[in-house]
Amino acid sequence: MQWIQLGYLLPLIIVGAGAIILMLLSPVERLSMERFSLLTFLILLLALSANFYHFGELFTAFPLQEIFSKMIIVDSYSVYFDALILSGALVTSLIGTHYFQDKRHFKKEFFSLFLFSVFGMMLLVHANELLSAFIALEIASLALYVMIGFQKIHDKRVEASYQYLVLGSISGAFFLLGTAFIYAGLGTTILGDIGKALDLLMGKDVSLIIIGSTFVLVTFLFKISAFPFQNWTIDVYDGSPLPVTAFMAATFKVAIFGFVLRLMLIDLDPIRDIWDTLFVVIIIATLAYGTFLAIIQESLKRMLAASSIVHTGYLLIAFVSIGYAGESASSSIIYYLIAYFLSAMGAFGLISYIAADEHIRVTYEDFRGFAHVHPYMAAMLSIFMLSLAGIPSTIGFVGKFYIFTGAIEAGYTFLAVCGIIATFISIYYYFKLIALMYFYPACEKEGAYIPTLRGITPITIGVIAIAVIWGGIGNTFIAYFPGVDFLIDTARLSYMSLFIK
């Protein structure tokens, strides 16, 4: 029986053990960076394979209750998010191969930190208790702080790491303070028990729970770069190594939403209406300010960082719709996370492959005429831009369609209209890159670097580009071909498992 219960946690155990093993092996000189990269990939692939054993099943389990009580949960929901996090980590390791080979000042310890961050993110979606969630969040965040500033020779790396460390620590303090208030008001920090205790208190004074939950939501809003906690995003994303930026922008956001959705749907449902007006203001401000920041950027990396704030606004539209369109709104969030994950990971990955030098191919002007000298890369980058803009026949369009229709069903037509307006405006800064690549003569900037398509990185990026198109046309043009319906059905299954106890 113990072995069966350990089997539920096998992906988590593999990643955690792998991180420790790589840390212990890092002083071994005979093991090169390339071998460490391969070991990291194999560990993640093994964990993902183990995760697929329960993928698609409807179940809920609390493994090793005599040790963990109900602090750790394994269900269809956590398995689904594990698959997303591990896939994001795998893609990051593949798209970063070329980057790490070129940047020789990276050390082998980086890969151990990377696995520790993945472990923290996985533990976060398995957390069924607030303090466990805080520990998981800090494991993931601390590893990211070091990964951001790993290239100590670059001042902007160290500055970005320090900025994220200070602000992230403050947001973590809010989480702890909120947990203390919730415990003071309810006498428990276990998810599920919080909801039951809150139901018994309805009609009485629940101010402590409201204050505590608001503090927890502050941490959530900070981590996903929502207004007014978004000011760190552009500088930190711009200062981070490109593969780390891709990992933060896509995978970490998946993990954060994985936990907060569980908290809001199970425990804070009775008082969720309290924040509706606040969330409406936050969504409008996030969309407006993120759009403004994206328009004024000249650096492509900073534009993508600013646009990630806008995509947070789209996700929050579905988030606020949960109370009135529960299953459809929740599954639309889960699906849009996949859409944004693929599009952002592909865009950041391709830029990291192209930018072999920190001062080459980083601005819009650097990509002038890029399609004339490297048409395949330009085509892939265009696909990612089209998906981020929500153009039909891409997975980004389908994701936004589900979010906006869910908002209209929930009675938030105004928010849907705001999201559509932000989408139309986003066409400017996404299509600006496409226009420069295709409709202008090639850039003759001295020292311009044009990499050749070789190695695993461009293959990985090409597969992501195909997935972006497949997600947009899967069941539309190709009969009996698995596509959007499969992804939505799996997202709904993970949502249903939240209510099995």
Side-chain angles (χ1 to χ4, degrees):
M1 187 64 179
Q2 295 285 345
W3 291 107
I4 295 175
Q5 294 185 15
L6 281 174
Y8 285 124
L9 296 174
L10 188 58
L12 197 63
I13 293 171
I14 290 171
V15 174
I20 295 172
I21 290 170
L22 289 188
M23 179 179 65
L24 296 175
L25 290 177
S26 58
V28 180
E29 295 182 0
R30 287 182 297 176
L31 292 175
S32 62
M33 280 281 291
E34 287 75 13
R35 289 184 178 179
F36 258 69
S37 178
L38 178 60
L39 280 172
T40 303
F41 173 79
L42 292 175
I43 290 168
L44 292 169
L45 186 62
L46 182 61
L48 184 61
S49 301
N51 186 68
F52 277 127
Y53 183 80
H54 295 291
F55 192 81
E57 296 179 8
L58 183 60
F59 74 101
T60 297
F62 297 97
L64 304 175
Q65 282 197 50
E66 62 276 13
I67 299 174
F68 299 117
S69 183
K70 288 188 175 182
M71 294 190 295
I72 303 294
I73 187 172
V74 181
D75 54 5
S76 307
Y77 180 85
S78 60
V79 167
Y80 186 89
F81 274 88
D82 275 349
L84 293 180
I85 293 168
L86 288 168
S87 298
L90 269 173
V91 171
T92 303
S93 68
L94 290 174
I95 65 174
T97 301
H98 177 78
Y99 189 90
F100 294 134
Q101 286 175 349
D102 184 75
K103 313 287 190 226
R104 286 296 174 181
H105 39 265
F106 275 95
K107 304 297 181 184
K108 291 176 286 188
E109 292 86 348
F110 181 88
F111 296 102
S112 176
L113 289 166
F114 177 56
L115 287 183
F116 273 120
S117 183
V118 175
F119 175 80
M121 294 177 193
M122 292 175 66
L123 185 61
L124 184 60
V125 298
H126 285 283
N128 196 51
E129 192 263 342
L130 292 177
L131 286 176
S132 302
F134 174 75
I135 293 170
L137 185 63
E138 289 306 298
I139 291 172
S141 298
L142 287 170
L144 278 173
Y145 299 152
V146 183
M147 289 165 63
I148 291 169
F150 207 85
Q151 292 174 276
K152 296 187 293 294
I153 63 172
H154 292 292
D155 290 340
K156 70 175 183 177
R157 300 278 192 260
V158 178
E159 181 184 347
S161 177
Y162 185 72
Q163 183 178 356
Y164 193 37
L165 169 64
V166 173
L167 296 177
S169 299
I170 294 173
S171 74
F174 273 99
F175 191 102
L176 274 182
L177 187 59
T179 300
F181 274 109
I182 291 172
Y183 183 77
L186 298 175
T188 182
T189 56
I190 295 178
L191 275 62
D193 292 350
I194 291 176
K196 293 174 184 176
L198 189 56
D199 283 334
L200 296 174
L201 285 178
M202 291 312 294
K204 301 178 182 178
D205 183 16
V206 291
S207 56
L208 281 177
I209 296 91
I210 293 172
I211 294 170
S213 302
T214 303
F215 283 153
V216 171
L217 287 175
V218 165
T219 303
F220 161 62
L221 293 172
F222 172 84
K223 293 295 184 180
I224 64 170
S225 310
F227 187 90
F229 309 105
Q230 80 298 324
N231 282 339
W232 63 273
T233 308
I234 295 181
D235 289 335
V236 172
Y237 279 22
D238 186 44
S240 306
L242 273 161
V244 178
T245 304
F247 186 59
M248 289 176 61
T251 312
F252 196 25
K253 195 169 288 189
V254 167
I256 297 295
F257 266 100
F259 172 73
V260 174
L261 276 178
R262 185 189 294 277
L263 178 65
M264 293 295 290
L265 289 172
I266 296 177
D267 296 278
L268 301 184
D269 183 67
I271 59 172
R272 191 170 52 215
D273 295 347
I274 293 171
W275 298 291
D276 279 359
T277 303
L278 177 63
F279 268 113
V280 169
V281 174
I282 289 173
I283 289 167
I284 295 172
T286 300
L287 290 172
Y289 193 58
T291 299
F292 168 73
L293 289 176
I295 289 174
I296 64 174
Q297 301 302 323
E298 293 297 328
S299 164
L300 192 57
K301 189 178 179 183
R302 291 178 70 88
M303 181 276 287
L304 289 173
S307 73
S308 73
I309 299 173
V310 183
H311 288 280
T312 293
Y314 300 142
L315 287 164
L316 287 175
I317 291 175
F319 187 77
V320 81
S321 305
I322 289 174
Y324 307 94
E327 182 177 337
S328 61
S330 300
S331 54
S332 69
I333 290 177
I334 297 171
Y335 182 80
Y336 193 77
L337 286 170
I338 300 175
Y340 177 69
F341 158 75
L342 289 172
S343 306
M345 191 66 76
F348 279 114
L350 186 55
I351 295 170
S352 72
Y353 181 75
I354 294 170
D357 184 86
E358 293 298 326
H359 304 289
I360 295 176
R361 303 284 177 194
V362 292
T363 68
Y364 278 104
E365 287 299 316
D366 291 329
F367 282 86
R368 183 184 291 269
F370 187 63
H372 303 303
V373 292
H374 228 309
Y376 299 111
M377 285 188 185
M380 288 189 289
L381 194 53
S382 298
I383 289 172
F384 300 135
M385 293 298 110
L386 291 171
S387 182
L388 289 169
I391 301 302
S393 298
T394 64
I395 194 171
F397 168 77
V398 179
K400 288 182 180 178
F401 174 80
Y402 280 115
I403 283 180
F404 296 151
T405 53
I408 293 170
E409 290 175 8
Y412 288 104
T413 305
F414 177 68
L415 287 182
V417 171
C418 290
I420 293 169
I421 292 172
T423 299
F424 274 112
I425 297 174
S426 73
I427 292 175
Y428 166 75
Y429 50 84
Y430 289 129
F431 276 50
K432 179 181 177 182
L433 176 63
I434 297 174
L436 283 169
M437 288 194 298
Y438 282 94
F439 303 125
Y440 289 84
C443 173
E444 297 181 357
K445 182 179 177 180
E446 185 178 352
Y449 173 73
I450 308 297
T452 56
L453 285 170
R454 62 167 181 256
I456 192 66
T457 301
I459 295 174
T460 304
I461 296 169
V463 170
I464 296 173
I466 293 171
V468 166
I469 298 298
W470 164 72
I473 66 173
N475 288 344
T476 306
F477 299 125
I478 309 173
Y480 308 109
F481 190 78
V484 173
D485 291 345
F486 163 74
L487 295 173
I488 287 293
D489 290 342
T490 311
R492 285 175 179 163
L493 186 71
S494 69
Y495 170 81
M496 291 167 58
S497 72
L498 290 173
F499 302 94
I500 300 176
K501 296 297 180 184

